[in-house]
Amino acid sequence: MTVGPTTRRRQLGVDLRRLRELKGLTLEDAGARVGISKATLSRYETKEGTVKWPAVDALCREYGATDEERLALVELAKGAKIQGWWRSLADPIPESMNLMLTLEDEVVREDHYACMYIPGLFQTRAYAEAVHRASEVRCDEREVQHMVDIRMKRQELLDRQEPPRIWAVIDEAALRRQVGGPAIMRTQLQHLLALAERPHINVQVLPFARGAHAAAVGSFAFLRGQSPELDVVYVDLLGGGLFMEKPEELERYRLAFEYLSAQALDFESSIDNIDRISKEP
């Protein structure tokens, strides 16, 4: 899988901090050795913001990194400036959507829990249009189509040569909620069934019969990077979303998804359930 700009930047921060701590240097001492401030080095070790590759090269030399490690981190620093396809769009997009697209462009696995709507990656265009019209009542039609265009483009990651693994637990309420009318809903459920046949996509249904459950949370997506340090959770909120990456937050949502998956129907029963709902009058 191609490593995108945000993953490069985040991996760079993780590795710079690891090398500094192995050397036993404080941020202030390490920065002084290469002529940058403690604040600047602290920013380099976070997962956001720009970096200058000559400073990364100098830090690696001070930390005693091998030539292979140093050259790899310099390449990460250079590649972190590359931007994703959505940056060239004529119309602006919400900041939370911008970050979601950036992260999603680089994941190796996504775990979704959907309690309101079918996950965006699985939505048909007609269904997505109906969702946006209902959710953003003040949006004009041009803006609705712009947001749906982004969603449809986003779905192209499912067709990559090496697509990420997608695991979705969908509450029965999302399957039965009539979004856009019976015809649109029936087409949406048939599309979901077709996607579930792909080897890299797992779909489970959490039926009403399970009743209340301990992981009664809103919809969320657990975005898994190429290493645990790059994991992020996205939580749906009114008017946007919230990104979480603290270890305790990640662990909470990891356990929640495991619980939801265990409570849901198995894969075969889930497919039967979706098929049956799609054929109901």
Side-chain angles (χ1 to χ4, degrees):
M1 176 174 291
T2 300
V3 179
T6 297
T7 288
R8 283 190 282 264
R9 178 63 186 89
R10 298 169 78 220
Q11 188 65 61
L12 176 62
V14 169
D15 287 343
L16 285 176
R17 180 175 181 176
R18 175 180 56 81
L19 288 171
R20 176 180 61 79
E21 291 178 343
L22 284 174
K23 189 69 173 178
L25 295 173
T26 65
L27 283 168
E28 188 171 14
D29 290 340
R33 292 191 181 193
V34 297
I36 62 176
S37 69
K38 174 183 177 181
T40 297
L41 181 53
S42 177
R43 179 172 56 79
Y44 275 30
E45 291 185 7
T46 61
K47 301 165 185 177
E48 299 176 359
T50 59
V51 294
K52 295 180 179 179
W53 73 260
V56 171
D57 183 85
L59 286 167
C60 287
R61 294 178 187 277
E62 283 295 331
Y63 296 158
T66 66
D67 287 342
E68 183 178 5
E69 286 179 313
R70 178 175 57 81
L71 292 174
L73 292 189
V74 167
E75 286 304 309
L76 284 177
K78 292 178 178 179
K81 296 181 179 180
I82 299 171
Q83 296 184 337
W85 57 265
W86 54 93
R87 298 284 191 174
S88 63
L89 294 174
D91 294 328
I93 61 176
E95 185 57 34
S96 62
M97 174 63 74
N98 175 57
L99 183 53
M100 181 66 170
L101 291 170
T102 304
L103 294 170
E104 193 169 59
D105 199 44
E106 304 161 5
V107 297
V108 296
R109 173 175 162 174
E110 293 188 28
D111 295 337
H112 290 258
Y113 170 58
C115 61
M116 180 68 70
Y117 300 119
I118 304 299
L121 285 175
F122 299 160
Q123 292 178 6
T124 65
R125 185 175 190 94
Y127 182 96
E129 289 174 350
V131 168
H132 277 288
R133 291 191 186 106
S135 303
E136 306 291 343
V137 293
R138 296 183 179 179
C139 289
D140 58 29
E141 189 60 22
R142 180 176 180 274
E143 188 171 353
V144 168
Q145 293 303 320
H146 172 57
M147 296 305 294
V148 173
D149 284 344
I150 294 173
R151 179 155 295 181
M152 296 301 103
K153 180 71 175 178
R154 172 187 164 205
Q155 292 177 3
E156 291 182 6
L157 68 84
L158 299 178
D159 299 317
R160 289 176 178 171
Q161 186 174 357
E162 295 182 46
R165 174 166 291 281
I166 311 295
W167 192 320
V169 175
I170 305 176
D171 195 284
E172 186 175 344
L175 301 175
R176 293 189 176 278
R177 181 168 286 105
Q178 288 291 310
V179 175
I184 287 176
M185 201 64 209
R186 189 173 301 111
T187 300
Q188 173 61 70
L189 294 180
Q190 291 298 322
H191 180 62
L192 181 59
L193 288 170
L195 289 174
E197 294 179 358
R198 300 191 184 190
H200 62 283
I201 295 177
N202 294 332
V203 175
Q204 290 183 275
V205 173
L206 186 64
F208 289 144
R210 291 292 190 262
H213 50 80
V217 294
S219 298
F220 66 88
F222 198 122
L223 310 178
R224 299 178 185 267
Q226 296 185 5
S227 64
E229 296 89 351
L230 303 179
D231 291 350
V232 178
V233 167
Y234 173 81
V235 180
D236 261 342
L237 297 174
L238 183 64
L242 179 65
F243 292 89
M244 302 180 179
E245 57 180 350
K246 293 181 180 178
E248 59 272 21
E249 295 170 338
L250 295 173
E251 180 66 7
R252 185 180 307 125
Y253 279 91
R254 184 188 66 78
L255 291 174
F257 186 80
E258 288 183 357
Y259 177 84
L260 290 162
S261 178
Q263 290 294 302
L265 300 175
D266 60 38
F267 300 131
E268 185 175 352
S269 298
S270 293
I271 297 304
D272 290 342
N273 185 280
I274 297 169
D275 184 56
R276 183 169 58 256
I277 293 173
S278 73
K279 294 175 180 176
E280 291 178 356

